[in-house]
Amino acid sequence: MTRALSRIAAAGTATAALLIATATPALADSDITLANHRGYMTYIDSVDVFKICDENPDGHGVHGLVHEWGAGTRLHIDDGGDAGCDKAGYNIGSASYRMAFWWDGGESVLYSKNFSE
């Protein structure tokens, strides 16, 4: 009986360790990118930074918003007219957030899925 209980405990421990090992990488991989042929906006979860890049020097820039449901816009970031990309930090909490990204030249707004910490 003791031997059977030891086997069950060992199997339970191994199963728990396997579930933790396989779940951890999926949780860490939560960066989000919205992109079109004009540029992109990325949320880098590990450092709570938003990066936006205008990739088409056509006289128009790109804009992005971080919107918190029920509270409104928390961050506006844009890029265009200068070299390189722009970045801004915003501490994402447990509320539900969504990114919006668009090009000033008149294309549709792109929206991310909802996300939180």
Side-chain angles (χ1 to χ4, degrees):
M1 173 94 167
T2 303
R3 193 173 196 186
L5 290 175
S6 294
R7 286 183 186 164
I8 292 170
T13 302
T15 301
L18 180 62
L19 289 173
I20 291 169
T22 56
T24 302
L27 293 173
D29 185 22
S30 59
D31 295 348
I32 303 167
T33 298
L34 298 175
N36 62 24
H37 60 282
R38 307 285 182 187
Y40 65 91
M41 179 180 181
T42 298
Y43 166 54
I44 306 163
D45 182 33
S46 61
V47 291
D48 279 347
V49 168
F50 294 85
K51 179 179 178 181
I52 192 165
C53 296
D54 180 1
E55 296 185 309
N56 191 350
D58 58 4
H60 297 282
V62 291
H63 289 263
L65 298 177
V66 177
H67 180 83
E68 180 182 347
W69 288 106
T73 300
R74 294 300 187 200
L75 178 71
H76 174 240
I77 183 171
D78 59 20
D79 187 45
D82 61 352
C85 301
D86 288 346
K87 295 179 183 178
Y90 183 78
N91 187 21
I92 296 298
S94 61
S96 185
Y97 296 86
R98 178 170 84 159
M99 294 186 330
F101 173 76
W102 70 94
W103 171 65
D104 284 342
E107 291 181 348
S108 298
V109 177
L110 301 175
Y111 295 97
S112 72
K113 63 182 181 181
N114 294 338
F115 60 95
S116 64
E117 280 286 80

